[in-house]
């Protein structure tokens, strides 16, 4: 019997029409399926070797604790092999107070290490491998990752051994999270749990974009998808000093800042200079109490922590370009942080 449903079907035409429809469907489905399989193979081929290489550049840390200082919830930690292959970068809090530190490679080999230096202001520490040992260094991406970029963490979560967890970049240049006095974080939803601190945050193509140091939780100390990694820019600033000097060379800006607007006051968020210490870099640059800092090194300053980030990223002897608003007039000032005759404030 014929049936009308957007086309004519009858006993003779039905099979022919079905055959044509099936042939067209196969033409559509088969190439798509083949393409999907090819795409999957290509993805595995491009990501697999990158992750395998990265695993050789991430290590598990085995701190030896005093009898009364053993950490049951985080007995082990993670670290990343730095540029020269002789140093390991990690989070300072995971090795603080340890009597000795050992490094376990991905293949199980254990190597002794010693503390080269630590910086409590950024929660970073550098270890030196014993003897002349060198390990494959992690590739490093200098550019700031874009929002939504696919990334993976590699770390020794809960002391179970190195594992990989993937997600995306959720935010960049995060400050004011409450973890450290100086912050420049890459935020990610890629999994990180106790023991993963000091591990790598890397693009899925391989290069490092951050070092995991903070897990944001509400109640339990476990991953809820808001994790923070110290940016490569801040890593390079701090690690370079720790390797060369055993401490970070800094000079205080001399600024005391406060939010210029109340929490629910409308308008742009700004930062006001509450006081300037006499003879400090800020005073020598011409900053005055009452000034509103609009930008520093071309970055918007919306909270005091933003200014701490810019100062923390500036190398010893470098300068910070300030845009300040004074009585309605925008002024450009240059603040030099450290140099001949300046006393460095070392460490954290």
């Amino acid at each position: 019997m014929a049936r009308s449903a957007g086309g004519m079907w009858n006993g003779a035409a039905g099979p022919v029409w079905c055959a044509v429809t099936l042939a067209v469907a196969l033409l559509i489905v088969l190439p798509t399926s083949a393409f999907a399989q090819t795409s999957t193979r290509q993805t595995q081929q491009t990501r697999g070797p990158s992750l395998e290489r990265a695993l050789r550049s991430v290590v598990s840390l085995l701190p030896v604790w005093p009898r009364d200082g053993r950490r049951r919830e985080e007995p082990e930690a993670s670290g990343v092999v730095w540029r020269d292959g002789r140093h390991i970068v990690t989070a300072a809090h995971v090795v603080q107070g340890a009597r000795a530190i050992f490094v376990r490679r991905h293949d199980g080999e254990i190597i002794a290490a010693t503390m080269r230096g630590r910086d409590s202001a950024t929660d970073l520490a550098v270890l030196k491998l014993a003897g002349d040992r060198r390990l494959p260094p992690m590739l490093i991406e200098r550019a700031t990752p874009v929002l939504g970029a696919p990334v993976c963490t590699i770390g020794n979560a809960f002391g179970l051994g190195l594992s990989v967890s993937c997600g995306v970049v959720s935010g960049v240049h995060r400050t004011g999270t409450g973890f450290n006095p100086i912050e420049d974080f890459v935020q990610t939803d890629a999994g990180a749990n106790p023991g993963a601190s000091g591990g790598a945050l890397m693009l899925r193509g391989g290069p490092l974009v951050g070092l995991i140091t903070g897990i944001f939780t509400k109640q339990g100390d476990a991953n809820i998808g808001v994790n923070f990694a110290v940016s490569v820019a801040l890593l390079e600033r701090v690690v370079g000093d720790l390797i060369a000097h055993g401490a970070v060379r800094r000079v205080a800006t001399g600024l005391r800042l406060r939010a210029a607007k109340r929490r629910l006051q409308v308008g742009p968020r700004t930062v006001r200079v509450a006081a300037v210490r006499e003879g400090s870099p800020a005073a020598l640059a011409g900053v005055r109490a009452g000034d509103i800092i609009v930008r520093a090194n071309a970055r918007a300053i919306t909270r005091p922590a933003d200014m701490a980030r810019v100062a923390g990223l500036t190398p010893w002897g470098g300068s910070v370009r300030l845009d300040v608003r004074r009585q309605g007039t925008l002024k450009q000032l240059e603040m030099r942080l450290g140099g001949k005759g300046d006393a460095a404030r070392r460490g954290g």
Side-chain angles (χ1 to χ4, degrees), residues 133-300:
R133 288 302 306 269
R134 292 178 185 269
L135 299 179
M138 176 72 77
L139 298 175
I140 294 177
E141 175 59 59
R142 288 179 175 271
T144 301
V146 298
L147 293 178
V151 288
C152 296
T153 62
I154 301 181
N156 180 24
F158 294 111
L160 297 173
L162 297 179
S163 59
V164 178
S165 180
C166 298
V168 299
V169 172
S170 308
V172 295
H173 302 307
R174 288 285 195 241
T175 63
T177 68
F179 282 104
N180 307 317
I182 298 175
E183 298 176 341
D184 185 37
F185 283 138
V186 178
Q187 181 184 329
T188 181
D189 65 345
N193 285 293
S197 293
L201 177 67
M202 52 175 281
L203 296 175
R204 292 197 190 178
L208 184 79
V209 294
L211 188 92
I212 296 289
T213 62
I215 303 170
F216 192 84
T217 62
K218 285 296 185 184
Q219 293 180 345
D221 192 12
N223 173 57
I224 59 171
V226 183
N227 304 307
F228 298 99
V230 177
S231 71
V232 165
L234 189 54
L235 279 174
E236 292 192 312
R237 162 71 178 101
V238 172
V239 173
D241 265 12
L242 290 179
I243 291 176
H245 310 289
V248 180
R249 299 184 301 171
R250 293 193 183 96
V251 59
T253 63
L255 290 168
R256 185 156 60 85
L257 306 174
R258 68 183 179 200
K261 288 184 176 293
R262 293 188 296 274
R263 178 172 171 267
L264 297 180
Q265 191 173 357
V266 297
R269 298 172 66 182
T270 55
V271 172
R272 185 182 300 276
V273 178
V276 182
R277 192 181 72 246
E278 185 178 355
S280 66
L284 295 176
V287 183
R288 301 178 186 174
D291 287 349
I292 292 177
I293 300 180
V294 180
R295 285 180 295 275
N297 283 350
R299 288 216 168 265

Side-chain angles (χ1 to χ4, degrees), residues 91-172:
H93 74 269
V94 301
V95 292
Q96 184 175 1
R99 292 194 296 108
I101 305 169
F102 292 88
V103 169
R104 184 178 63 226
R105 299 185 62 191
H106 71 291
D107 60 4
E109 180 189 6
I110 294 178
I111 307 169
T114 57
M115 177 68 71
R116 173 56 185 154
R118 58 183 296 273
D119 180 49
S120 60
T122 55
D123 190 28
L124 293 174
V126 173
L127 312 176
K128 187 177 184 302
L129 297 175
D132 295 325
R133 288 302 306 269
R134 292 178 185 269
L135 299 179
M138 176 72 77
L139 298 175
I140 294 177
E141 175 59 59
R142 288 179 175 271
T144 301
V146 298
L147 293 178
V151 288
C152 296
T153 62
I154 301 181
N156 180 24
F158 294 111
L160 297 173
L162 297 179
S163 59
V164 178
S165 180
C166 298
V168 299
V169 172
S170 308
V172 295

Side-chain angles (χ1 to χ4, degrees), residues 46-70:
T46 54
R47 291 180 185 172
S50 297
L51 289 173
E52 289 176 4
R53 285 196 301 269
L55 279 169
R56 294 195 291 270
S57 301
V58 180
V59 297
S60 300
L61 300 186
L62 314 176
V64 178
W65 303 109
R67 182 171 298 180
D68 58 348
R70 179 173 172 78

